Amino acid sequence: MSLIEVAKLKKAYGDIDVLKQISFGVNKNDVVAMIGPSGSGKSTLLRSLVHLENIDGGSISIAGDYLVNEGIYAKPPEIKKITAKMGMVFQHFNLFPHLTVKENLEIAPKMVKKELSMVLEKRSRELLAKVGLENRASAYPAKLSGGQKQRVAIARALMMEPEILLFDEPTSALDPELTGEVLQVMKDLAEEQMTMIVVTHEMGFAKEVANKVVFMDKGEILETGKPNELFDHPKNERTKLFLQRVN
C-alpha cells in the first residue's frame, strides 16, 4: 500500500486552476523528485499534503488515513494526527530568530508532544551532529550561513520523528557554494531510507538520489518515471523542452 495516495486533486485561486486532477502515489522509502517550471503547482501540491493549503476536490491519504476524501476533510484532531506523520522543510528556513538553534529544534516536540527536556536534549544533540552542526547549538539563526540555517531546518523537521519528509525547493534560496552541504544531508537521509518528496530545480540531485521523478507543468503531472527513463528518454514533448532548457 502507498504511504501517500493522492487522487484527482483540484485547487484553484479564483479563475486560475493551480492543480488539475492530480493523482500519484508514494511508497515507503521512496525519494520522489518533483520537477517542472516555476508556477506549475509543485509547491501548492506539497503544501496541500500537510494541510497548509485547502484543496477544492479530490482525496489525500497518508499511511492509510484520509486527510481529505473526495473534497471532505477529516475532523481537526484527525487532521493533526495525520499531518504529524510528515515534516516539512521550506525554501526560506522559517527558523525562529529569537531562539537558539537548540531551542528551534526542541520547541515543537516540547509543546506538541510534551516530551521531557532530557529526552529532547539528547535527540537535538544527535540530530545536530547528523547535519554537521553539533558545535552551533547555542548560536542564533542570524549568526548562521544560509546552508547552516537549512541544515538546522532539516534537523528541526526530524525532531518530530516524521515518517515522511517534504522539501519545498530547499536549496533555491542558497548561494551555489552552500547548496552542496544541504544536498549531502538529504542524500544521507535517502541512504537511511527516509521517505521524501523533494520539489527541486537541482537536476543532478533528482538524477542521482531520487528513485522516482515527477514532471509537472501548468497544474498537471505530465510524466512520471525512474530518473534514467525520464531524463534520458522523456516521452512528453513539454518534458523534453523543459529538460533541454535546464541541462
Side-chain angles (χ1 to χ4, degrees):
M1 186 182 70
S2 297
L3 196 54
I4 298 175
E5 196 67 57
V6 173
K8 298 181 178 175
L9 214 61
K10 292 189 293 182
K11 171 74 179 175
Y13 295 121
D15 296 334
I16 301 166
D17 290 322
V18 186
L19 300 175
K20 306 171 187 173
Q21 300 284 339
I22 295 281
S23 297
F24 75 101
V26 177
N27 294 322
K28 190 175 170 59
N29 309 134
D30 270 353
V31 178
V32 179
M34 300 199 110
I35 65 169
S38 296
S40 58
K42 306 181 300 295
S43 294
T44 302
L45 175 55
L46 213 60
R47 290 169 64 85
S48 299
L49 298 178
V50 286
H51 198 228
L52 291 174
E53 296 276 359
N54 283 324
I55 58 142
D56 300 322
S59 303
I60 298 171
S61 167
I62 308 292
D65 295 319
Y66 278 106
L67 173 68
V68 54
N69 190 3
E70 296 184 0
I72 299 167
Y73 275 92
K75 300 272 193 299
E78 191 67 14
I79 289 174
K80 196 173 174 182
K81 195 176 86 176
I82 292 166
T83 54
K85 296 173 184 176
M86 294 172 281
M88 186 146 176
V89 178
F90 298 89
Q91 182 178 348
H92 292 292
F93 329 126
N94 290 12
L95 300 177
F96 295 113
H98 63 291
L99 299 180
T100 65
V101 165
K102 179 177 178 292
E103 289 165 344
N104 263 283
L105 262 64
E106 294 176 8
I107 187 169
K110 188 179 290 179
M111 293 176 70
V112 177
K113 291 184 165 185
K114 313 294 186 207
E115 290 188 79
L116 296 172
S117 295
M118 191 170 59
V119 174
L120 293 176
E121 283 177 17
K122 180 175 183 289
R123 192 153 80 242
S124 65
R125 196 164 55 242
E126 288 169 352
L127 286 172
L128 286 175
K130 187 189 199 69
V131 299
L133 292 170
E134 58 268 55
N135 63 338
R136 306 294 276 156
S138 59
Y140 286 89
K143 298 293 185 186
L144 303 178
S145 70
Q148 288 173 329
K149 287 177 190 173
Q150 196 58 292
R151 284 186 281 153
V152 171
I154 294 170
R156 181 180 60 179
L158 291 168
M159 279 293 288
M160 293 296 282
E161 300 178 309
E163 294 178 46
I164 304 155
L165 269 186
L166 310 176
F167 293 85
D168 189 8
E169 300 192 22
T171 59
S172 63
L174 301 179
D175 294 332
E177 67 267 25
L178 300 176
T179 296
E181 63 192 48
V182 174
L183 292 178
Q184 186 57 54
V185 171
M186 294 166 68
K187 287 176 190 174
D188 293 344
L189 289 170
E191 285 170 12
E192 292 167 17
Q193 300 200 303
M194 169 61 80
T195 306
M196 301 194 285
I197 304 178
V198 185
V199 170
T200 185
H201 292 293
E202 296 289 336
M203 297 302 131
F205 175 86
K207 287 177 189 173
E208 186 186 341
V209 182
N211 68 312
K212 187 189 291 184
V213 181
V214 174
F215 174 71
M216 280 185 74
D217 192 13
K218 295 179 180 171
E220 298 177 286
I221 291 177
L222 298 183
E223 193 163 349
T224 303
K226 293 179 179 173
N228 59 338
E229 293 169 357
L230 193 137
F231 284 107
D232 298 338
H233 308 287
K235 297 181 178 66
N236 188 286
E237 285 305 315
R238 267 146 79 186
T239 314
K240 288 177 188 173
L241 191 61
F242 173 77
L243 292 175
Q244 283 167 10
R245 285 175 179 159
V246 297
N247 286 334

